[in-house]
Amino acid sequence: MNLALIIITALISLLAFYNHEIFDRFKFNAYAIKHHGQAWRFLSYGLIHADWMHLFINMFVLYSFGKVVIDAYLFYFDAQGYLFYILLYVGGIVFSVLFDFGKHKDDMYYNAVGASGAVSAVLFSSILLYPTGSLYIFPIPFPLPSVVFGVIYLVYSAVMARRGKDNIGHNAISGVQFLDWLLRSH
């Protein structure tokens, strides 16, 4: 299931890298949703990425943490676990842009792309389900605890969201708005 999501997302992202019409049709644009009824953009933006690095990071995190969530869901819910995993993934995509939709629904120039909301939902579900997990990241010579990786991911996303120059939906990570407020107020 996880591998299928990675392959589908990678293939559509690759198509969008070389076809600007696909990229423009799929990207999140709150103005187009509100004023032109293009509600598919609530989902389609999660299938495309800004560049190779953005795609790689999201798919690496999904690959690294998705199996833990799927295995737990299958253990607790049997075959329905697949459905719950898809709902978690799709819910992460939609939920993560609701704030941006409200804020930018009259701004025709605001765009966002990437599966960060879905990947964050999977990442933090994995941490909740298996808080003692860890992963190796080159060139770090020791396993990085999943919780530490999650905090680094949140901080990175908050910093990049404040910069706001790359059309990547960094606000998609749950808690980034709170973290951004926290960084500004202290």
Side-chain angles (χ1 to χ4, degrees), residues 112-128:
V113 297
S116 299
V119 170
S120 296
V122 171
L123 167 65
F124 291 105
S125 293
S126 171
I127 292 170
L128 287 172

Side-chain angles (χ1 to χ4, degrees), residues 127-168:
I127 292 170
L128 287 172
L129 290 165
Y130 185 48
T132 60
S134 62
L135 75 154
Y136 284 92
I137 300 177
F138 182 80
I140 302 170
F142 53 86
L144 192 62
S146 298
V147 172
V148 172
F149 181 82
V151 169
I152 291 169
Y153 192 71
L154 270 178
V155 170
Y156 168 78
S157 296
V159 168
M160 294 305 289
R162 286 181 74 187
R163 288 187 186 166
K165 294 183 168 102
D166 57 8
N167 283 332
I168 296 172

Side-chain angles (χ1 to χ4, degrees), residues 73 80-93:
Y73 282 12
Q80 281 186 310
Y82 290 119
L83 172 64
F84 294 150
Y85 185 77
I86 290 295
L87 290 174
L88 173 71
Y89 192 85
V90 171
I93 288 173

Side-chain angles (χ1 to χ4, degrees), residues 29 44 93 106 154:
N29 183 282
S44 64
I93 288 173
D106 293 317
L154 270 178

